[in-house]
């Protein structure tokens, strides 16, 4: 997964902090004692994490791309933030971070899709349960794969746009393995195409699968369509999934 190197500079603009996102996260763990312990997995540039770190939160961030972690560490003095930043892939958080330590874990911008099989996603959920305190919550920002027809050979995912660029994403079925490969490219405002994610195997896990996993792990689960807390609708582009220990 080296694609980020080519459109790193556009990431924070394409994946902006969403309306009500900070308030949603704060409400999830408002009853936790201070300072509240937050872990952001696949944190990207850490924009939402930096905002929360300036409030009543002790924030740890991890990302599988060293570019993001280096950027966060290099900007700590400028941002006046104090994030604990680690270059870790999601499946390793259980090995290196403290158990029963965090009040809330977040994974935004559908980054969970890059864990390319269900077994790794299941391990990630198991690890998160171990890292959370009793009563803690895991918040996942997911693509609503339940709305798509997986009998099709190609599935176009929602675009992400900013003033300087547009990100296009689509899945292609591997007819031999029945797996799905992700392709992504960016078109800049000048018309340049940045094309680096090519046939990267991903795991398009549905809402129904998350329900089953939550039941197996004895986690309570809620679904929303956005960070305003809008009830989930089958035609929503995304799902905000909240799992409680």
């Amino acid at each position: 997964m080296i694609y980020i190197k080519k459109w790193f500079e556009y990431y924070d603009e394409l994946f902006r902090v969403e309306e009500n996102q900070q308030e949603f996260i704060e409400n999830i763990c408002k009853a936790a004692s201070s300072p509240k312990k937050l872990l952001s997995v696949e944190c990207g540039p850490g924009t939402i994490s930096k905002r929360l770190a300036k409030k009543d939160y002790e924030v740890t961030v991890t990302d599988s791309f060293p570019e993001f972690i280096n950027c966060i560490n290099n900007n700590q003095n400028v941002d006046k933030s104090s994030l604990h930043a680690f270059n870790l892939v999601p499946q390793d958080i259980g090995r290196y971070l403290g158990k029963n330590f965090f009040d809330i874990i977040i994974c935004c911008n559908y980054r969970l899709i890059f864990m390319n099989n269900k077994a790794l996603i299941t391990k990630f959920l198991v690890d998160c349960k171990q890292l959370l305190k009793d009563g803690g919550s895991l918040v996942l920002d997911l693509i609503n794969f339940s709305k798509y027809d997986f009998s099709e050979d190609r599935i176009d995912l929602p675009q992400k746009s900013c003033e300087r660029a547009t990100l296009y994403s689509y899945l292609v079925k591997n007819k031999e393995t029945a797996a799905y490969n992700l392709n992504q490219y960016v078109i800049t405002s000048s018309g340049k195409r940045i094309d680096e994610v090519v046939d990267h195997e991903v795991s398009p896990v549905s809402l129904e699968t998350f329900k089953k996993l939550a039941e197996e792990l004895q986690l309570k689960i809620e679904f929303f369509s956005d960070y305003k807390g809008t009830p989930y609708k089958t035609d929503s582009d995304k799902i905000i999934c909240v799992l409680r220990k």
Side-chain angles (χ1 to χ4, degrees), residues 35-49:
K36 304 174 200 297
K37 307 293 195 302
L38 181 143
L39 169 63
S40 179
V41 180
E42 298 296 71
C43 64
T47 307
I48 187 68
S49 301

Side-chain angles (χ1 to χ4, degrees), residues 93-111:
I93 61 172
R95 294 176 58 193
Y96 296 104
L97 301 179
K99 294 184 171 49
N100 301 307
F101 183 79
F102 296 99
D103 297 294
I104 184 167
I105 300 173
I106 62 175
C107 183
C108 302
N109 303 330
Y110 61 79
R111 292 282 298 276

Side-chain angles (χ1 to χ4, degrees), residues 3 7 11 14-15 110 157-162 165-169 183-187 194 197:
Y3 76 95
W7 50 278
Y11 190 94
L14 290 167
F15 293 95
Y110 61 79
L157 302 178
Q159 299 173 14
K160 301 289 289 187
S161 296
C162 64
T166 299
L167 171 66
Y168 298 87
S169 307
N183 293 267
Q184 289 184 304
Y185 61 93
V186 166
I187 301 293
I194 304 172
V197 181

Side-chain angles (χ1 to χ4, degrees), residues 180-197:
Y180 279 86
N181 294 331
L182 175 68
N183 293 267
Q184 289 184 304
Y185 61 93
V186 166
I187 301 293
T188 69
S189 56
S190 65
K192 178 182 177 182
R193 177 172 171 138
I194 304 172
D195 194 357
E196 193 167 343
V197 181

Side-chain angles (χ1 to χ4, degrees), residues 141-167:
D141 184 329
L142 307 166
I143 293 174
N144 181 16
F145 287 117
S146 299
K147 69 178 286 187
Y148 296 104
D149 181 0
F150 278 87
S151 66
E152 300 289 337
D153 292 335
R154 170 172 167 150
I155 295 172
D156 288 295
L157 302 178
Q159 299 173 14
K160 301 289 289 187
S161 296
C162 64
E163 186 175 341
R164 297 197 300 148
T166 299
L167 171 66

Side-chain angles (χ1 to χ4, degrees), residues 30-118:
K30 62 183 177 183
S33 58
S34 301
K36 304 174 200 297
K37 307 293 195 302
L38 181 143
L39 169 63
S40 179
V41 180
E42 298 296 71
C43 64
T47 307
I48 187 68
S49 301
K50 292 172 186 176
R51 294 185 185 184
L52 291 165
K54 292 177 181 177
K55 303 189 73 174
D56 190 22
Y57 289 81
E58 181 181 323
V59 179
T60 300
V61 297
T62 69
D63 204 287
S64 51
F65 294 116
E67 292 87 357
F68 282 135
I69 298 304
N70 292 339
C71 181
I72 289 169
N73 285 329
N74 291 338
N75 291 333
Q76 295 258 27
N77 290 333
V78 176
D79 297 329
K80 294 183 168 51
S81 58
S82 55
L83 308 182
H84 308 291
F86 302 98
N87 179 206
L88 292 175
V89 294
Q91 55 265 37
D92 280 347
I93 61 172
R95 294 176 58 193
Y96 296 104
L97 301 179
K99 294 184 171 49
N100 301 307
F101 183 79
F102 296 99
D103 297 294
I104 184 167
I105 300 173
I106 62 175
C107 183
C108 302
N109 303 330
Y110 61 79
R111 292 282 298 276
L112 202 65
I113 190 178
F114 286 98
M115 300 184 70
N116 57 6
N117 61 61
K118 183 183 172 183

